[in-house]
Amino acid sequence: MLFLLVVVYKNLSPIMDAVIVYNPKGGVGKSMVCSTVYQYLLDHNTPFIAFDTDRNNPDCYRRYKDLLPVKLAIFSEANKYEDAANSLFNEAMNNLVVVNMPAQVHQPFKDWLEKNEILEIAPEVGVRFHLWFVTDSGFDSLNLLQKTLELYQDKMRYTIVRNFGRSEEFDAFEQHEAIQKLLKTLQATVIDFPVLNGSMVRHRLDSESLSYGVALAREDFGIIEKQRIRKFLRESYAAFAKTEVFAHVN
C-alpha cells in the first residue's frame, strides 16, 4: 500500500507593520506628522520602534530621543551606505516600526527596495509596508504622489496625509483624475492632518526640541498654548484612528 505524505508550509509569523512617513519633496511637514505619530503611540501605550533617516535635520530624533530609543538609518545611493537601512527591515520583522523619511529620498529608497527585493520578501516574513504620503497639494507634491503610486502599486498600503498645516486648499488633489483613480484602485486611505495653532508654540517645539508631552508638562507654557497642543493632538489622533495600521490602537 502506498501512502502519499503532503506537507504544506505556511507562513505562521504574525503580521508586523512598517509605517513610512514619506514624500521626496521637502517642506511638506513629514517630521511633524511622524513626531505626532510617535506621541500617539506613546499616549496609547503601544510598543514600537522609531527610526529617523533624515541626516540633515533629524527633527524626530531631537524631539523624542530622551523618551524612546529613536534609531538612525541612512538611505543613500553611495555604496558605503548600502546596508545602512537594513536595520529598519530587520526590526520590522518583530515590531511595529515608524520611520521619518528625508527629502530627496525617492531614488535611494527605490534602489534599497529593488536591489534587496524587500517588497518581495516582506510577505514571506510577515512585514507589511504602509506608506504615509504627506502632501500639501502642490504641483511637485502631486506629481511625486502619482509617481509613487504607479511605481509600487499594490506592494504597499497607502495613507495620504493632507497636511492642513501646510496648505488650506486641496482642490488640485481632489480634482487630479489620475491620482483619484489610483487611490480608488489601491484602496488608499485619505486623512486630514490638522493645524497646530500658534506660531510661537510651533517655534518653541522646534527650536527647543520638545516632544508634545514634555511641552504639556512644562510650567513655562501657558494655559492657552497647552490647550492648543491638546486640541491639535485630539484632532490628529482621531485622524490616525481611521487608518488601517492603527485601527487596533485604543
Side-chain angles (χ1 to χ4, degrees):
M1 182 179 295
L2 178 65
F3 293 92
L4 177 63
L5 176 63
V6 178
V7 180
V8 179
Y9 291 93
K10 296 178 67 176
N11 179 13
L12 300 178
S13 302
I15 299 297
M16 304 307 298
D17 296 302
V19 177
I20 311 296
V21 182
Y22 181 86
N23 186 339
K25 181 180 182 296
V28 296
K30 294 184 294 293
S31 294
M32 190 164 187
V33 171
C34 192
S35 63
T36 309
V37 172
Y38 288 179
Q39 190 69 50
Y40 173 69
L41 294 173
L42 285 170
D43 286 349
H44 288 82
N45 298 312
T46 300
F48 72 104
I49 303 294
F51 276 89
D52 197 332
T53 66
D54 192 336
R55 286 187 289 167
N56 295 323
N57 191 21
D59 286 339
C60 293
Y61 173 78
R62 288 190 296 104
R63 293 179 61 186
Y64 280 86
K65 62 182 175 62
D66 294 331
L67 297 177
L68 53 92
V70 182
K71 300 188 177 186
L72 301 175
I74 299 172
F75 288 100
S76 172
E77 296 178 73
N79 289 334
K80 67 178 181 179
Y81 293 121
E82 64 181 358
D83 295 321
N86 292 354
S87 58
L88 184 160
F89 186 74
N90 294 335
E91 290 287 3
M93 288 191 289
N94 298 295
N95 304 280
L96 167 63
V97 168
V98 180
V99 186
N100 181 47
M101 297 288 273
Q104 309 300 323
V105 75
H106 172 79
Q107 193 60 47
F109 183 52
K110 177 176 177 289
D111 288 346
W112 179 73
L113 291 172
E114 292 181 349
K115 289 178 180 178
N116 298 294
E117 296 187 331
I118 296 294
L119 296 178
E120 285 69 35
I121 63 174
E124 298 175 11
V125 295
V127 175
R128 185 166 49 193
F129 278 89
H130 296 258
L131 195 146
W132 282 36
F133 195 101
V134 183
T135 181
D136 58 3
S137 197
F139 178 79
D140 290 340
S141 182
L142 294 182
N143 279 346
L144 288 165
L145 173 56
Q146 182 178 351
K147 184 177 183 179
T148 300
L149 295 172
E150 291 174 342
L151 176 62
Y152 298 121
Q153 292 287 324
D154 60 357
K155 293 182 179 179
M156 294 192 188
R157 287 166 163 80
Y158 301 95
T159 294
I160 313 306
V161 183
R162 305 195 308 179
N163 188 357
F164 279 81
R166 297 292 183 177
S167 176
E168 296 179 354
E169 297 291 338
F170 285 86
D171 291 348
F173 167 78
E174 294 168 356
Q175 296 170 12
H176 197 298
E177 293 183 4
I179 287 176
Q180 293 302 322
K181 183 177 180 181
L182 284 164
L183 296 180
K184 183 177 181 179
T185 299
L186 297 170
Q187 299 181 324
T189 302
V190 178
I191 64 173
D192 292 340
F193 188 70
V195 178
L196 173 56
N197 292 312
S199 59
M200 184 55 67
V201 174
R202 297 192 299 270
H203 174 74
R204 291 192 63 188
L205 290 172
D206 184 47
S207 64
E208 299 178 40
S209 300
L210 300 176
S211 71
Y212 300 110
V214 168
L216 288 171
R218 289 265 294 260
E219 294 183 359
D220 56 340
F221 274 74
I223 188 169
I224 293 178
E225 292 174 315
K226 290 182 178 181
Q227 191 58 31
R228 285 171 170 171
I229 294 173
R230 292 190 187 97
K231 178 177 182 290
F232 166 77
L233 292 178
R234 184 173 65 249
E235 293 174 350
S236 298
Y237 292 2
F240 295 164
K242 297 177 183 177
T243 66
E244 177 187 15
V245 66
F246 295 140
H248 66 284
V249 175
N250 52 46

